Amino acid sequence: MLPEKTIERLSQYRRLLLANKQKGKENIFSHEIAVQLHLTSVQVRRDIMLIGYSGTQRKGYNIDLLIEKISSILDDEKGLNSIIIGMGNLGKAISTYFYGKRNKIDIVAAFDIDIKKTGRLISGVWCYHTSDLETIIKEKQISLAILALAPEAAQDITDRIIFAGVKGILNFTSVPLNVLPNVYLENYDMVTSIEKVAYFVKENHLQNR
Amino acid sequence: MLPEKTIERLSQYRRLLLANKQKGKENIFSHEIAVQLHLTSVQVRRDIMLIGYSGTQRKGYNIDLLIEKISSILDDEKGLNSIIIGMGNLGKAISTYFYGKRNKIDIVAAFDIDIKKTGRLISGVWCYHTSDLETIIKEKQISLAILALAPEAAQDITDRIIFAGVKGILNFTSVPLNVLPNVYLENYDMVTSIEKVAYFVKENHLQNR
DNA sequence: ATAAAGTTGTTAAAATATTAACATTGTTTA
DNA sequence: TAAACAATGTTAATATTTTAACAACTTTAT
Ligand SMILES: NC(=O)c1ccc[n+]([C@@H]2O[C@H](COP(=O)([O-])OP(=O)(O)OC[C@H]3O[C@@H](n4cnc5c(N)ncnc54)[C@H](O)[C@@H]3O)[C@@H](O)[C@H]2O)c1
Ligand SMILES: NC(=O)c1ccc[n+]([C@@H]2O[C@H](COP(=O)([O-])OP(=O)(O)OC[C@H]3O[C@@H](n4cnc5c(N)ncnc54)[C@H](O)[C@@H]3O)[C@@H](O)[C@H]2O)c1
């Protein structure tokens, strides 16, 4: 299995490659990728080595083929269905953002407990009541869930979706979730992010004295 | 300077400690913190050692004092002013979320280029037109910016805010930004996050065969 | 033809982060 | 009073991630 950090970068390589392809470019050197993403060319080459793709010395990497190779690693062939739970400000922002983007990861349903939000389309995604959670997860073969709901309900809902078959969670609530060992959990904590930036801003000030 | 990962955890320890204080708890053991955050007690103790705080063998750590110690490290005494640039769906979600939370990191202004959004309060924060960017940054001594604007404008705006004095950036656009070496840049890429979860979900499936 | 330049692929080293080991210390209990 | 226990604090070992070094190859220039 590939290192976590390599996976993250592969996602970024692919986006960059698609942008370069758009501009009509056919081949790209490791140092070009590196400059555009602010990495080192060594790291780029090493990652590409790890996934078993090869370029040529004179032309670098063929953009189409590299995109294809990365996609064969990141994407599930048959696609992967996901849901958003919690259609508040953040949930809506996310579903609006993803709506219409063609992608192997489809957001096929949303859930909320607030009946003012349920039973209708919200930014292109049907919003169900959480009471339908288990039914829909099984029906639509959901394997990934994005949590953007009120923190109080996060663990409860997590237990339910895992029991219903969800295998990966992207958690935006600040709640440290308990999940079964075979469920992949990725947390993003915005407050921590900001506090970290603030800390390094402060430290930098100290350094410059 | 403390390791980046330790800083992230300190932010989480503090939140947890505040929650426990709320519940009337006065002391806490490293293993209690560990269980609640899904870490190991060793890691907790090591982090606390690194910041130079000590507990007692029988009672563990004094919650109030530890909060104070962590705060002395994370927070800037005189506070730190920040802005959000781009009051679209995500920007609004963020400012709504932070509004009213008493915090050493204050979001004191927002910016957008769309005149339908500027010149008024949006979720408690005044939204200026980007043409006022430099003026307000200097006037309000802004050192931290949250970028939630359209990707096309991200680098341009970044150059401007850095020139005006911003020292830390939390970047939600997927654009790999160019910043001066004395500016701390933290990127969060939601697409990468989701693709990573999807990858590990897929791999787990393979393992289980 | 041969050398020079420039690039990839890969192994080795260094840096960073986590985990384990254990000495130390205060408290309880026999 | 001393042994057992349960916790912290710290050093050492391990694991992961990044960076450096360099061999191998291809094209171009001399
Ligand atoms: N918006 C941000 O910038 C931000 C930052 C950090 C953390 N968060 C976290 O992300 C989550 C969402 O944030 P938000 O700003 O969108 O909050 P929000 O209050 O706007 O939305 C929360 C939504 O969750 C729904 N909900 C509540 N209980 C539910 C349940 N049991 N099942 C399904 N839905 C339920 C509510 O009806 C509401 O629509 C929260 O946990 C918040 O703490 C948000
Ligand atoms: N919403 C998400 O879930 C999500 C996920 C991944 C990435 N992002 C990125 O985050 C950013 C914001 O996303 P969003 O969903 O809020 O988009 P959005 O389109 O709703 O909002 C973008 C806002 O930026 C403003 N803007 C454009 N040019 C500007 C400029 N020069 N100065 C100031 N403001 C300007 C627009 O007027 C708009 O209000 C985008 O770059 C997007 O790619 C968002």
Side-chain angles (χ1 to χ4, degrees):
Chain A
M1 194 175 307
L2 294 162
E4 191 176 320
K5 294 295 162 120
T6 295
I7 294 299
E8 290 180 15
R9 284 189 296 268
L10 286 177
S11 161
Q12 283 153 22
Y13 297 157
R14 177 165 61 176
R15 180 190 296 138
L16 190 86
L17 292 167
L18 287 166
N20 279 271
K21 179 184 162 85
Q22 206 67 26
K23 286 189 280 184
K25 218 163 150 52
E26 287 184 8
N27 297 285
I28 195 165
F29 293 120
S30 63
H31 64 258
E32 293 179 292
I33 298 177
V35 164
Q36 294 185 50
L37 291 177
H38 304 122
L39 304 168
T40 66
S41 64
V42 188
Q43 194 160 53
V44 173
R45 286 202 300 279
R46 206 176 189 291
D47 286 334
I48 294 177
M49 182 197 80
L50 289 176
I51 64 173
Y53 183 75
S54 286
T56 59
Q57 276 94 352
R58 211 55 199 168
K59 292 183 168 179
Y61 303 99
N62 177 289
I63 291 182
D64 276 334
L65 293 178
L66 184 49
I67 290 172
E68 211 173 284
K69 183 72 188 182
I70 292 176
S71 297
S72 80
I73 287 167
L74 294 185
D75 298 341
D76 197 330
E77 277 177 64
K78 49 192 187 313
L80 191 147
N81 292 330
S82 60
I83 54 176
I84 300 188
I85 307 179
M87 276 308 239
N89 296 309
L90 188 58
K92 266 185 279 184
I94 295 172
S95 69
T96 306
Y97 179 78
F98 280 96
Y99 183 66
K101 286 210 170 42
R102 89 168 63 264
N103 207 316
K104 281 283 177 182
I105 302 163
D106 242 3
I107 298 179
V108 298
F111 293 88
D112 207 294
I113 205 171
D114 181 351
I115 53 166
K116 288 196 292 296
K117 288 167 186 162
T118 58
R120 59 187 182 91
L121 277 175
I122 303 185
S123 45
V125 180
W126 189 265
C127 186
Y128 297 88
H129 193 271
T130 29
S131 55
D132 295 331
L133 205 46
E134 287 81 359
T135 318
I136 303 291
I137 289 176
K138 283 168 189 161
E139 208 172 282
K140 303 204 187 232
Q141 304 246 3
I142 305 298
S143 47
L144 197 160
I146 299 168
L147 300 192
L149 74 165
E152 311 85 63
Q155 184 63 62
D156 243 39
I157 293 290
T158 298
D159 294 342
R160 286 175 56 190
I161 62 179
I162 291 177
F163 190 72
V166 164
K167 289 282 182 283
I169 295 175
L170 176 51
N171 175 32
F172 287 105
T173 77
S174 49
V175 180
L177 297 175
N178 242 309
V179 300
L180 295 176
N182 68 330
V183 173
Y184 188 86
L185 172 63
E186 170 86 3
N187 296 298
Y188 181 68
D189 190 323
M190 202 177 294
V191 175
T192 292
S193 253
I194 293 180
E195 289 184 345
K196 186 170 137 192
V197 175
Y199 170 79
F200 284 107
V201 165
K202 194 180 79 165
E203 286 305 299
N204 209 21
H205 277 310
L206 293 175
Q207 272 187 358
N208 293 347
R209 269 175 199 163
Chain B
M1 193 176 306
L2 295 163
E4 190 176 321
K5 295 294 162 113
T6 295
I7 294 300
E8 290 180 14
R9 284 189 296 267
L10 287 177
S11 161
Q12 283 155 21
Y13 296 158
R14 177 165 63 177
R15 179 190 297 137
L16 190 86
L17 292 168
L18 287 166
N20 279 272
K21 178 184 161 88
Q22 206 67 26
K23 287 189 280 185
K25 216 162 152 55
E26 286 183 7
N27 297 285
I28 195 165
F29 294 121
S30 63
H31 64 258
E32 293 178 292
I33 299 178
V35 164
Q36 294 185 51
L37 291 177
H38 305 123
L39 302 169
T40 66
S41 65
V42 189
Q43 192 160 55
V44 173
R45 287 202 301 279
R46 204 175 191 291
D47 286 333
I48 294 177
M49 183 197 80
L50 289 175
I51 65 174
Y53 183 75
S54 286
T56 60
Q57 276 94 352
R58 210 54 197 168
K59 293 183 169 180
Y61 304 99
N62 177 289
I63 291 182
D64 277 335
L65 294 177
L66 184 49
I67 290 174
E68 212 174 282
K69 182 72 188 181
I70 292 176
S71 297
S72 80
I73 287 167
L74 293 185
D75 297 341
D76 197 331
E77 277 176 65
K78 46 187 191 317
L80 190 147
N81 292 331
S82 60
I83 54 176
I84 299 189
I85 307 180
M87 276 306 239
N89 296 309
L90 187 58
K92 266 185 278 184
I94 295 171
S95 69
T96 305
Y97 178 78
F98 280 95
Y99 183 66
K101 288 215 168 41
R102 90 169 58 263
N103 206 316
K104 282 284 177 181
I105 303 164
D106 242 2
I107 297 180
V108 298
F111 293 88
D112 208 294
I113 204 171
D114 181 351
I115 54 168
K116 288 195 293 294
K117 290 167 185 160
T118 60
R120 61 188 182 91
L121 278 174
I122 303 184
S123 46
V125 179
W126 188 266
C127 186
Y128 297 89
H129 192 271
T130 27
S131 55
D132 295 331
L133 205 48
E134 286 82 359
T135 319
I136 303 290
I137 288 176
K138 284 170 188 160
E139 208 172 284
K140 303 205 186 236
Q141 302 244 7
I142 304 299
S143 47
L144 196 160
I146 299 168
L147 300 192
L149 73 165
E152 311 84 63
Q155 184 62 61
D156 242 40
I157 294 289
T158 299
D159 294 342
R160 286 175 57 189
I161 62 180
I162 290 176
F163 190 73
V166 165
K167 289 281 183 281
I169 295 175
L170 175 51
N171 176 32
F172 287 104
T173 76
S174 49
V175 181
L177 297 174
N178 241 310
V179 300
L180 295 177
N182 67 331
V183 173
Y184 188 85
L185 172 65
E186 170 87 1
N187 296 298
Y188 180 69
D189 190 322
M190 201 177 293
V191 175
T192 291
S193 255
I194 294 181
E195 290 185 345
K196 186 171 137 190
V197 176
Y199 170 79
F200 285 106
V201 165
K202 194 180 76 162
E203 286 305 300
N204 210 21
H205 276 311
L206 292 176
Q207 272 185 358
N208 293 347
R209 274 178 199 164

